[in-house]
mmCIF file with all atom_site columns, all heavy atoms in Angstrom:
data_model
loop_
_atom_site.group_PDB
_atom_site.id
_atom_site.type_symbol
_atom_site.label_atom_id
_atom_site.label_alt_id
_atom_site.label_comp_id
_atom_site.label_asym_id
_atom_site.label_entity_id
_atom_site.label_seq_id
_atom_site.pdbx_PDB_ins_code
_atom_site.Cartn_x
_atom_site.Cartn_y
_atom_site.Cartn_z
_atom_site.occupancy
_atom_site.B_iso_or_equiv
_atom_site.pdbx_formal_charge
_atom_site.auth_seq_id
_atom_site.auth_comp_id
_atom_site.auth_asym_id
_atom_site.auth_atom_id
_atom_site.pdbx_PDB_model_num
ATOM 1  N N   . SER A 1 6   ? 83.216  120.234 90.842  1.00 44.00 ? 33  SER A N   1
ATOM 2  C CA  . SER A 1 6   ? 82.911  121.111 89.715  1.00 44.00 ? 33  SER A CA  1
ATOM 3  C C   . SER A 1 6   ? 82.355  122.465 90.154  1.00 44.00 ? 33  SER A C   1
ATOM 4  O O   . SER A 1 6   ? 82.215  123.365 89.342  1.00 44.00 ? 33  SER A O   1
ATOM 5  C CB  . SER A 1 6   ? 81.908  120.431 88.783  1.00 44.00 ? 33  SER A CB  1
ATOM 6  O OG  . SER A 1 6   ? 80.714  120.167 89.479  1.00 44.00 ? 33  SER A OG  1
ATOM 7  N N   . ALA A 1 7   ? 82.051  122.599 91.434  1.00 44.00 ? 34  ALA A N   1
ATOM 8  C CA  . ALA A 1 7   ? 81.458  123.852 91.898  1.00 44.00 ? 34  ALA A CA  1
ATOM 9  C C   . ALA A 1 7   ? 82.512  124.952 91.974  1.00 44.00 ? 34  ALA A C   1
ATOM 10 O O   . ALA A 1 7   ? 83.571  124.771 92.528  1.00 44.00 ? 34  ALA A O   1
ATOM 11 C CB  . ALA A 1 7   ? 80.828  123.649 93.272  1.00 44.00 ? 34  ALA A CB  1
ATOM 12 N N   . SER A 1 10  ? 81.826  130.853 95.952  1.00 43.00 ? 37  SER A N   1
ATOM 13 C CA  . SER A 1 10  ? 82.493  131.767 96.868  1.00 43.00 ? 37  SER A CA  1
ATOM 14 C C   . SER A 1 10  ? 82.026  131.458 98.282  1.00 43.00 ? 37  SER A C   1
ATOM 15 O O   . SER A 1 10  ? 80.841  131.451 98.566  1.00 43.00 ? 37  SER A O   1
ATOM 16 C CB  . SER A 1 10  ? 82.147  133.205 96.502  1.00 43.00 ? 37  SER A CB  1
ATOM 17 O OG  . SER A 1 10  ? 82.754  134.092 97.404  1.00 43.00 ? 37  SER A OG  1
ATOM 18 N N   . GLN A 1 18  ? 87.402  124.938 90.987  1.00 76.00 ? 45  GLN A N   1
ATOM 19 C CA  . GLN A 1 18  ? 87.638  123.642 90.359  1.00 76.00 ? 45  GLN A CA  1
ATOM 20 C C   . GLN A 1 18  ? 89.126  123.545 90.028  1.00 76.00 ? 45  GLN A C   1
ATOM 21 O O   . GLN A 1 18  ? 89.773  124.530 89.712  1.00 76.00 ? 45  GLN A O   1
ATOM 22 C CB  . GLN A 1 18  ? 86.799  123.525 89.090  1.00 76.00 ? 45  GLN A CB  1
ATOM 23 C CG  . GLN A 1 18  ? 86.903  122.199 88.402  1.00 76.00 ? 45  GLN A CG  1
ATOM 24 C CD  . GLN A 1 18  ? 85.936  122.107 87.237  1.00 76.00 ? 45  GLN A CD  1
ATOM 25 O OE1 . GLN A 1 18  ? 85.115  122.986 87.028  1.00 76.00 ? 45  GLN A OE1 1
ATOM 26 N NE2 . GLN A 1 18  ? 86.035  121.039 86.489  1.00 76.00 ? 45  GLN A NE2 1
ATOM 27 N N   . VAL A 1 29  ? 89.553  119.834 94.721  1.00 86.00 ? 56  VAL A N   1
ATOM 28 C CA  . VAL A 1 29  ? 89.035  121.188 94.845  1.00 86.00 ? 56  VAL A CA  1
ATOM 29 C C   . VAL A 1 29  ? 90.157  122.082 95.386  1.00 86.00 ? 56  VAL A C   1
ATOM 30 O O   . VAL A 1 29  ? 91.078  121.597 96.050  1.00 86.00 ? 56  VAL A O   1
ATOM 31 C CB  . VAL A 1 29  ? 87.784  121.204 95.769  1.00 86.00 ? 56  VAL A CB  1
ATOM 32 C CG1 . VAL A 1 29  ? 88.142  120.887 97.198  1.00 86.00 ? 56  VAL A CG1 1
ATOM 33 C CG2 . VAL A 1 29  ? 87.013  122.490 95.668  1.00 86.00 ? 56  VAL A CG2 1
ATOM 34 N N   . ARG A 1 30  ? 90.080  123.380 95.079  1.00 87.00 ? 57  ARG A N   1
ATOM 35 C CA  . ARG A 1 30  ? 91.043  124.342 95.603  1.00 87.00 ? 57  ARG A CA  1
ATOM 36 C C   . ARG A 1 30  ? 90.267  125.355 96.431  1.00 87.00 ? 57  ARG A C   1
ATOM 37 O O   . ARG A 1 30  ? 89.259  125.895 95.982  1.00 87.00 ? 57  ARG A O   1
ATOM 38 C CB  . ARG A 1 30  ? 91.784  125.043 94.461  1.00 87.00 ? 57  ARG A CB  1
ATOM 39 C CG  . ARG A 1 30  ? 92.887  125.984 94.944  1.00 87.00 ? 57  ARG A CG  1
ATOM 40 C CD  . ARG A 1 30  ? 93.668  126.643 93.801  1.00 87.00 ? 57  ARG A CD  1
ATOM 41 N NE  . ARG A 1 30  ? 94.324  125.643 92.968  1.00 87.00 ? 57  ARG A NE  1
ATOM 42 C CZ  . ARG A 1 30  ? 93.970  125.367 91.709  1.00 87.00 ? 57  ARG A CZ  1
ATOM 43 N NH1 . ARG A 1 30  ? 92.982  126.014 91.127  1.00 87.00 ? 57  ARG A NH1 1
ATOM 44 N NH2 . ARG A 1 30  ? 94.608  124.449 91.014  1.00 87.00 ? 57  ARG A NH2 1
ATOM 45 N N   . PRO A 1 66  ? 94.655  118.298 102.641 1.00 95.00 ? 93  PRO A N   1
ATOM 46 C CA  . PRO A 1 66  ? 95.524  119.058 101.740 1.00 95.00 ? 93  PRO A CA  1
ATOM 47 C C   . PRO A 1 66  ? 96.391  118.110 100.904 1.00 95.00 ? 93  PRO A C   1
ATOM 48 O O   . PRO A 1 66  ? 97.009  117.182 101.438 1.00 95.00 ? 93  PRO A O   1
ATOM 49 C CB  . PRO A 1 66  ? 96.390  119.894 102.687 1.00 95.00 ? 93  PRO A CB  1
ATOM 50 C CG  . PRO A 1 66  ? 95.618  119.951 103.968 1.00 95.00 ? 93  PRO A CG  1
ATOM 51 C CD  . PRO A 1 66  ? 94.862  118.662 104.045 1.00 95.00 ? 93  PRO A CD  1
ATOM 52 N N   . LEU A 1 79  ? 93.586  106.041 96.797  1.00 92.00 ? 106 LEU A N   1
ATOM 53 C CA  . LEU A 1 79  ? 93.777  104.735 97.442  1.00 92.00 ? 106 LEU A CA  1
ATOM 54 C C   . LEU A 1 79  ? 93.704  104.859 98.958  1.00 92.00 ? 106 LEU A C   1
ATOM 55 O O   . LEU A 1 79  ? 94.326  104.079 99.682  1.00 92.00 ? 106 LEU A O   1
ATOM 56 C CB  . LEU A 1 79  ? 95.122  104.131 97.013  1.00 92.00 ? 106 LEU A CB  1
ATOM 57 C CG  . LEU A 1 79  ? 95.256  103.867 95.515  1.00 92.00 ? 106 LEU A CG  1
ATOM 58 C CD1 . LEU A 1 79  ? 96.674  103.427 95.188  1.00 92.00 ? 106 LEU A CD1 1
ATOM 59 C CD2 . LEU A 1 79  ? 94.245  102.844 95.050  1.00 92.00 ? 106 LEU A CD2 1
ATOM 60 N N   . PRO A 1 130 ? 106.399 92.891  112.859 1.00 95.00 ? 157 PRO A N   1
ATOM 61 C CA  . PRO A 1 130 ? 107.105 91.744  112.299 1.00 95.00 ? 157 PRO A CA  1
ATOM 62 C C   . PRO A 1 130 ? 108.130 91.230  113.312 1.00 95.00 ? 157 PRO A C   1
ATOM 63 O O   . PRO A 1 130 ? 108.854 92.013  113.920 1.00 95.00 ? 157 PRO A O   1
ATOM 64 C CB  . PRO A 1 130 ? 107.799 92.294  111.050 1.00 95.00 ? 157 PRO A CB  1
ATOM 65 C CG  . PRO A 1 130 ? 107.184 93.621  110.785 1.00 95.00 ? 157 PRO A CG  1
ATOM 66 C CD  . PRO A 1 130 ? 106.616 94.104  112.076 1.00 95.00 ? 157 PRO A CD  1
ATOM 67 N N   . THR A 1 133 ? 112.076 87.867  109.537 1.00 84.00 ? 160 THR A N   1
ATOM 68 C CA  . THR A 1 133 ? 111.914 88.108  108.105 1.00 84.00 ? 160 THR A CA  1
ATOM 69 C C   . THR A 1 133 ? 112.396 86.893  107.320 1.00 84.00 ? 160 THR A C   1
ATOM 70 O O   . THR A 1 133 ? 113.449 86.338  107.600 1.00 84.00 ? 160 THR A O   1
ATOM 71 C CB  . THR A 1 133 ? 112.727 89.354  107.678 1.00 84.00 ? 160 THR A CB  1
ATOM 72 O OG1 . THR A 1 133 ? 112.334 90.453  108.498 1.00 84.00 ? 160 THR A OG1 1
ATOM 73 C CG2 . THR A 1 133 ? 112.463 89.706  106.231 1.00 84.00 ? 160 THR A CG2 1
ATOM 74 N N   . PRO A 1 152 ? 95.460  90.942  125.296 1.00 96.00 ? 179 PRO A N   1
ATOM 75 C CA  . PRO A 1 152 ? 96.746  90.246  125.135 1.00 96.00 ? 179 PRO A CA  1
ATOM 76 C C   . PRO A 1 152 ? 97.173  90.204  123.662 1.00 96.00 ? 179 PRO A C   1
ATOM 77 O O   . PRO A 1 152 ? 96.335  90.220  122.764 1.00 96.00 ? 179 PRO A O   1
ATOM 78 C CB  . PRO A 1 152 ? 96.458  88.835  125.654 1.00 96.00 ? 179 PRO A CB  1
ATOM 79 C CG  . PRO A 1 152 ? 94.984  88.654  125.457 1.00 96.00 ? 179 PRO A CG  1
ATOM 80 C CD  . PRO A 1 152 ? 94.376  90.020  125.640 1.00 96.00 ? 179 PRO A CD  1
ATOM 81 N N   . VAL A 1 166 ? 96.064  91.824  105.007 1.00 95.00 ? 193 VAL A N   1
ATOM 82 C CA  . VAL A 1 166 ? 96.189  93.253  105.292 1.00 95.00 ? 193 VAL A CA  1
ATOM 83 C C   . VAL A 1 166 ? 95.364  94.041  104.277 1.00 95.00 ? 193 VAL A C   1
ATOM 84 O O   . VAL A 1 166 ? 95.480  93.841  103.074 1.00 95.00 ? 193 VAL A O   1
ATOM 85 C CB  . VAL A 1 166 ? 97.669  93.692  105.251 1.00 95.00 ? 193 VAL A CB  1
ATOM 86 C CG1 . VAL A 1 166 ? 97.790  95.201  105.424 1.00 95.00 ? 193 VAL A CG1 1
ATOM 87 C CG2 . VAL A 1 166 ? 98.473  92.965  106.325 1.00 95.00 ? 193 VAL A CG2 1
ATOM 88 N N   . ALA A 1 172 ? 96.298  108.079 109.544 1.00 96.00 ? 199 ALA A N   1
ATOM 89 C CA  . ALA A 1 172 ? 95.837  109.231 110.318 1.00 96.00 ? 199 ALA A CA  1
ATOM 90 C C   . ALA A 1 172 ? 94.615  108.823 111.131 1.00 96.00 ? 199 ALA A C   1
ATOM 91 O O   . ALA A 1 172 ? 93.910  107.886 110.766 1.00 96.00 ? 199 ALA A O   1
ATOM 92 C CB  . ALA A 1 172 ? 95.493  110.399 109.402 1.00 96.00 ? 199 ALA A CB  1
#
Side-chain angles (χ1 to χ4, degrees):
S33 61
S37 178
Q45 183 174 353
V56 68
R57 185 178 299 111
L106 299 173
T160 305
V193 175

